[in-house]
Amino acid sequence: MADDPQRNFRSSYYEKVGFRGVEEKKSLEILLKDNPLGMLPPHSDSHTMVGGYRKEQYHDILEALEVMRYVNSSTPCTHVYLRMFQLESQVLPRCSEISAPDEENEDFLSISRAMEEIVDDPIDCYWLIKCFVNQFHTKFGDSIPHLPKSLEHYLSQEEPRLLKHLKNTGALAQLPYSLWFRRCFAGCLPESSLQRVWDKVISGSCKILVFVALEILLSYKIMLLGITRPEGVVRFLCNIPQENTDAIVTKAIELWYKYCGTPMHAV
């Protein structure tokens, strides 16, 4: 699947005028105003009316869940969003069948917690989570299983010694792929860095996730080469230091350009 050049207009424009990377300073919130998730109708005159309908829909769904006793005033917002999403998707379990969140639900909750740090209004937050998750699975659902192999390929180009070490220790097969690729680094990167990654995902590419994972491995290769047990590698990668993540994302974007050329590349 190729990127939509209109969706990725900022990367394309700044590259043409020679300011690659300038657009990275833009926040996810600014990008969302350009409506890449399809949250708003094309005619601006109807935005207020549609916003009102969605506000009513949010409260109607919330009230229904409260009446059915799925949520109450003490339920964390992220879990409320999950039940709302399940109800709208017609996969809401019976109350008697509710158990600890499975992996798919944990993916949703992780993205919800991250979005909650970016967007203040709960109604906007839910709609953004819903649209982000739906778009991600619709556009990239078939690509996600192939991303670990893609990561292995690029790591073989950049640092074959580290790749060999990860294979020999059994760590390669146990890398936190779910955290990186299914949760789009939610719970791994802090808000400021995460927004820059999600900016690219929303613009139309999941390939950026591979290069962020690659740059994490490259940035900590000395540390990783010194760990001989796969569980130690996974533990470290799930809790990487937070002070260097902006530089990691910047270098990841440079790798993305290096291997993919222009932003209009194959996903």
Side-chain angles (χ1 to χ4, degrees), residues 140-151:
F140 308 128
D142 293 338
S143 301
I144 299 304
H146 303 290
L147 297 187
K149 203 67 180 177
S150 184
L151 172 61

Side-chain angles (χ1 to χ4, degrees), residues 11-234:
S11 293
S12 178
Y13 172 75
Y14 281 107
E15 185 183 60
K16 286 180 181 178
V17 297
F19 289 99
R20 179 182 297 178
V22 172
E23 82 280 12
E24 316 309 341
K25 297 178 182 178
K26 302 265 186 170
S27 70
L28 177 66
E29 196 165 313
I30 292 175
L31 174 66
L32 292 173
K33 290 179 181 178
D34 297 314
N35 199 34
L37 292 178
M39 286 184 61
L40 296 172
H43 301 293
S44 58
D45 292 346
S46 59
H47 287 183
T48 300
M49 179 179 66
V50 171
Y53 287 153
R54 287 180 172 170
K55 183 177 182 179
E56 291 178 8
Q57 183 176 342
Y58 175 93
H59 288 298
D60 287 344
I61 297 170
L62 179 60
E63 183 178 0
L65 289 171
E66 289 172 341
V67 170
M68 292 186 290
R69 298 183 181 179
Y70 279 90
V71 302
N72 54 51
S73 58
S74 63
T75 305
C77 288
T78 52
H79 285 72
V80 173
Y81 300 148
L82 174 62
R83 298 305 175 207
M84 294 178 74
F85 184 76
Q86 290 175 330
L87 179 58
E88 288 202 278
S89 303
Q90 300 182 354
V91 294
L92 184 69
R94 297 176 182 271
C95 279
S96 59
E97 297 174 351
I98 290 179
S99 57
D102 59 18
E103 186 175 3
E104 184 176 350
N105 290 340
E106 282 293 353
D107 295 342
F108 183 95
L109 290 171
S110 294
I111 291 172
S112 297
R113 285 189 286 269
M115 192 71 80
E116 204 175 29
E117 294 296 316
I118 299 171
V119 183
D120 294 328
D121 183 80
I123 298 174
D124 289 343
C125 187
Y126 171 66
W127 278 98
L128 286 169
I129 295 165
K130 173 185 171 181
C131 291
F132 180 87
V133 169
N134 281 337
Q135 185 201 68
F136 185 74
H137 287 297
T138 300
K139 293 187 70 173
F140 308 128
D142 293 338
S143 301
I144 299 304
H146 303 290
L147 297 187
K149 203 67 180 177
S150 184
L151 172 61
E152 182 179 342
H153 167 72
Y154 291 118
L155 185 57
S156 72
Q157 303 296 306
E158 291 289 322
E159 189 55 64
R161 184 164 67 106
L162 177 57
L163 176 60
K164 182 179 179 181
H165 173 75
L166 293 175
K167 285 183 174 180
N168 290 342
T169 59
L172 185 66
Q174 298 185 37
L175 295 181
Y177 296 123
S178 179
L179 174 65
W180 291 346
F181 301 147
R182 295 184 60 84
R183 301 180 186 180
C184 302
F185 292 93
C188 177
L189 299 177
E191 173 191 338
S192 61
S193 302
L194 188 63
Q195 289 188 59
R196 299 172 65 202
V197 177
W198 283 11
D199 177 277
K200 298 297 184 187
V201 174
I202 292 171
S203 293
S205 174
C206 67
K207 201 69 168 288
I208 186 63
L209 302 175
V210 172
F211 292 106
V212 175
L214 175 62
E215 185 54 43
I216 287 175
L217 295 177
L218 296 177
S219 296
Y220 296 108
K221 65 179 179 181
I222 302 301
M223 176 77 70
L224 295 173
L225 286 170
I227 303 176
T228 58
R229 299 181 66 84
E231 58 269 24
V233 171
V234 174

